[in-house]
Amino acid sequence: MTWKEKAERWSQFEQVQEDLKLELQNLKQDEKLLEDAFYKELEFGTGGMRGVIGPGTNRMNIYTVRKASAGLAAYIEEQGLEAKHRGVAIAYDSRHMSPEFAMEAAKTLATRGIQTYVFDGLRPTPELSFAVRYLHAFAGIVITASHNPPEYNGYKVYGPDGAQLGLAAADEVIGKVNEIENELTIEVNDENELKEQGLITMIGENIDRAYNQKLMTISEHPHLGEDSDIKIVFTPLHGTANKPVRNGLQSLHYKHIYTVKEQELPDPNFSTVASPNPEERSAFHLAIEEGKRVNGDILIATDPDADRIGVAVKMQDGEYTLLSGNQTGALLLHYVLTQKKAKGTLPDNGIMMKTIVTSELGSKVAASFGVKSEDVLTGFKFIAEKINEYEGTYKFLFGYEESYGYLIGDFARDKDAVQAALLAVEAAAFYKKEGKSLYDVLIEIYETHGYYMEGLESLTLKGKEGAETIQQILSSFRSEPLTELETIKVNAVEDYLTGIRTELDGAENQISLPKSNVIKYFFKDGTWICLRPSGTEPKIKFYFGITADSFEASSEKLDKIKESFMKNVENKLQVIAK
């Protein structure tokens, strides 16, 4: 069908939800917007789907949610009766339509005779991951768009291990979803009837308590909070982490916890921030104000679904420095390994995992403790996949990615900002007793292993034309690869789409990672640059990593590399535009 035919089908469908019907009428006044709403199906990929809320096949609405859920239901049915009985756990965040989408997913599954467990209020994504494992469910769903703007929502699917679906299972579900021709005609039974039949069960407090008990196990010093005077400022950025983080800190006996009141309660518009993204300093504006008011030692901010966390530390001049995701990861890893070694609990078979776009500093830290490290593709499900693969062979100690995602205890199998918040506070409290801040310890790590610095640039290219341009940029770098930058020679190129690493001398080797539309350049001096399209936003991202012997030298070097490379990108865009 053409996009116009799809739009007409929606217009003619009498049962279309009233608010969507009204929005559809408004869209007809702007053909370009109408086309964007219908020119394709909202892609259900290996990480689920994410999009703008509204009418259309390329939007998040109850019909596209039903379609995704019907595809998942068909996949579960093929796994047999046991899979249907084990069922699906469902959680949602504080975004517009999140509770409604969660229940539409539950009704779609339950109508097909699949047991569903729906949280009775908003919960963090990592708690859903834990709930799947705790309930021995066959799958899980989280309704969230993470830190995207307010107009977005999304749908993520988890497997029986509590991790986002692996590639093989995701491909099967995607196939089932794509077989559904008309999302408007998927039938769902009444919510109350399904509850009476026991096919929809509401869950909540029992899971909360069990999750909090597990959170206590990641602490290296569970009684440290009893006599600590550390002052903690916390903001959930209007999302799901408020209760679990505060409950966890209180269970660990920390006394001086200050929540940013203006951002404490759920707000789907995220009205106090330009973006609910803890990677951005602007999201810390109110936390910094509160920190200065109470003389806080550490500021922590979590994104709406509480899988990412940002940390800021007080400097000697009373100002606050926001740590990068790579810096926080290196600090938390260093703390865990240092404490385990001191207590004699560091295992001989320990392993740390990170993504290919994450700093090499973590690998250096791990190696200094005799801990193995391994790189995986971007996406925490690949870390979870390795945890499963190595169970019984290696002891998982830590996993992280540069985009502010961390995992310490493997009772959850996705990045967990609640875990990270508790560990960051503990590390800050421990070092405060030694007269140090987290920043002081970071400098010690740099002095020991080298001044690693990373950067990120991205281009946002929306709509159909933008998606095509992103692919053209990647194709251009494949057909005309870099050979040098700022007089630094390229040592090797890894193309994760072909699965081949090409050395400077032309020798080729296979890459032992799944196929992905990503290119990574390795330079002779240890610099690296990675190009990848975002899986959740209309962006192409460019990652940079360098190392030098001082802050000043590494900063200057990073700026030069970024500027030179982005000029290269701009030149390619000009060619594409012609």
Side-chain angles (χ1 to χ4, degrees), residues 325-347:
N326 284 309
Q327 290 171 333
T328 299
L331 277 165
L332 295 182
L333 174 64
H334 173 81
Y335 175 75
V336 167
L337 300 185
T338 301
Q339 300 313 304
K340 288 187 182 300
K341 184 176 181 179
K343 295 191 299 180
T345 58
L346 184 64

Side-chain angles (χ1 to χ4, degrees), residues 150-308:
E151 63 269 23
Y152 281 78
N153 213 326
Y155 182 111
K156 294 197 292 188
V157 181
Y158 289 72
D161 60 351
Q164 289 189 51
L165 279 185
L167 294 178
D171 283 344
E172 288 191 52
V173 174
I174 291 166
K176 297 297 183 187
V177 174
N178 292 339
E179 287 175 7
I180 299 168
E181 294 183 359
N182 190 348
E183 63 283 341
L184 296 173
T185 57
I186 297 170
E187 294 185 2
V188 297
N189 293 341
D190 178 74
E191 175 186 338
N192 291 326
E193 290 180 6
L194 292 167
K195 286 179 176 177
E196 289 175 6
Q197 294 168 18
L199 288 165
I200 294 179
T201 299
M202 305 306 292
I203 57 175
E205 287 187 9
N206 288 345
I207 306 292
D208 295 341
R209 283 194 294 270
Y211 177 57
N212 191 66
Q213 287 172 1
K214 284 292 186 181
L215 288 171
M216 299 301 100
T217 66
I218 70 167
S219 175
E220 295 295 334
H221 299 288
H223 299 289
L224 182 63
E226 292 175 1
D227 60 351
S228 175
D229 63 353
I230 189 168
K231 292 182 177 180
I232 307 146
V233 174
F234 166 57
T235 172
L237 296 177
H238 304 294
T240 60
N242 183 30
K243 290 181 179 180
V245 167
R246 290 169 66 186
N247 288 343
L249 290 171
Q250 288 163 3
S251 296
L252 289 168
H253 314 293
Y254 291 98
K255 299 177 286 294
H256 308 292
I257 307 165
Y258 304 89
T259 305
V260 177
K261 296 300 180 185
E262 300 93 329
Q263 298 171 332
E264 179 180 354
L265 298 178
D267 174 6
N269 294 316
F270 310 112
S271 52
T272 65
V273 289
S275 169
N277 186 354
E279 298 182 54
E280 299 176 9
R281 184 176 176 83
S282 60
F284 274 82
H285 174 69
L286 292 176
I288 289 172
E289 285 188 355
E290 181 70 4
K292 290 182 176 180
R293 188 185 72 81
V294 303
N295 194 28
D297 296 292
I298 182 172
L299 318 180
I300 50 179
T302 53
D303 70 346
D305 69 321
D307 62 354
R308 300 173 192 264

Side-chain angles (χ1 to χ4, degrees), residues 385-405:
E385 191 176 79
K386 286 294 181 181
I387 294 174
N388 289 339
E389 180 183 334
Y390 289 148
E391 205 156 14
T393 304
Y394 293 106
K395 172 62 177 175
F396 174 76
L397 297 175
F398 193 78
Y400 76 114
E401 58 187 11
E402 48 73 41
S403 54
Y404 293 60

Side-chain angles (χ1 to χ4, degrees), residues 507-540:
E508 294 184 348
N509 297 290
Q510 291 292 317
I511 301 168
S512 60
L513 289 174
K515 298 290 178 69
S516 184
N517 191 15
V518 177
I519 304 168
K520 188 172 183 180
Y521 290 97
F522 297 85
F523 293 77
K524 285 203 165 186
D525 68 340
T527 295
W528 57 266
I529 299 173
C530 189
L531 300 75
R532 62 175 285 269
S534 171
T536 57
E537 301 171 279
K539 288 182 178 179
I540 180 169

Side-chain angles (χ1 to χ4, degrees), residues 535-555:
T536 57
E537 301 171 279
K539 288 182 178 179
I540 180 169
K541 295 184 175 183
F542 310 100
Y543 301 83
F544 305 85
I546 61 94
T547 184
D549 56 8
S550 71
F551 248 139
E552 294 75 15
S554 59
S555 181

